[in-house]
Amino acid sequence: ERKIDPVRMPNPADTLIEFCSGCWFSPGSTLIARKRLFEGEIGPFCEALRRLEDMDWFIRFGKINGQLLVQPLVGLDILPGNSPSIETIQCAARQILQRHRDLRRLDPKAWRHLMAYIDLEVATYATKNRQFLKAAFWFGRSLARVPRIARHLSPGWKSDLSQQ
């Protein structure tokens, strides 16, 4: 019998640093946005990215001062799937950092959060691939970039929907 995970609802976000602090707002969620955002203002999802394409889009959304609103509806339960290789994650990480290197100058704090989150993603997939020394290195690097007590950079979701 499968254990049922608690319902997690993404928190709203409206700052670039929030969009650079993780991809908590997208996995399992459905984005409803005006067509013009995809046609010009932000553009489509980057098809070259094999992972984190939603985070890349939301960073661009944050750069134009986008605001993520959340409608607290639960429509489905997502089961874990196959994990990508650490090489796939590292390739996506390099592409995202290259695509958003302007943040280093425009918003150094957001850039630091983005790098810390990318390091955390690599650490997570290194752990899933049982590469524990590599995972410890990447997790330590993430903590050095953005010191914190929790594993994640920000509390990106609510578990108790009664608080909504």
Side-chain angles (χ1 to χ4, degrees), residues 8-26 29-31 58 61-62 65-73 154-161 163-164:
R8 295 188 317 178
M9 193 67 55
N11 280 322
D14 62 1
T15 66
L16 181 57
I17 199 162
E18 289 174 307
F19 293 117
C20 288
S21 292
C23 199
W24 43 263
F25 40 79
S26 188
S29 298
T30 299
L31 172 66
F58 275 101
F61 182 65
N65 299 313
Q67 181 180 16
L68 174 68
L69 304 175
V70 175
Q71 180 64 40
L73 298 172
S154 67
W157 51 81
K158 293 179 182 172
S159 292
D160 183 2
L161 294 183
Q163 296 175 1
Q164 299 264 338

Side-chain angles (χ1 to χ4, degrees), residues 49-106:
L49 288 169
R50 304 269 309 153
R51 296 291 293 181
L52 303 172
E53 66 285 347
D54 43 2
M55 183 178 187
D56 170 67
W57 191 90
F58 275 101
I59 293 169
R60 290 183 276 144
F61 182 65
K63 285 179 178 178
I64 66 162
N65 299 313
Q67 181 180 16
L68 174 68
L69 304 175
V70 175
Q71 180 64 40
L73 298 172
V74 177
L76 57 101
D77 185 15
I78 297 177
L79 300 174
N82 294 333
S83 291
S85 70
I86 192 168
E87 291 78 17
T88 300
I89 296 298
Q90 287 177 310
C91 180
R94 283 190 299 273
Q95 289 177 44
I96 286 175
L97 292 175
Q98 179 64 28
R99 292 172 61 86
H100 299 289
R101 67 186 179 276
D102 60 328
L103 288 177
R104 186 180 303 168
R105 179 182 45 81
L106 297 174

Side-chain angles (χ1 to χ4, degrees), residues 20-24 52 86 89 93 112-128 134-143 145-146 148 150-154 157:
C20 288
S21 292
C23 199
W24 43 263
L52 303 172
I86 192 168
I89 296 298
R112 218 172 39 257
H113 276 246
L114 176 58
M115 290 191 307
Y117 179 73
I118 293 293
D119 290 345
L120 182 60
E121 274 291 302
V122 175
T124 298
Y125 284 93
T127 301
K128 288 180 180 185
K134 192 178 275 192
F137 167 79
W138 290 100
F139 184 62
R141 197 163 103 161
S142 176
L143 285 172
R145 293 184 196 279
V146 178
R148 58 199 186 274
R151 178 175 172 259
H152 287 284
L153 277 70
S154 67
W157 51 81

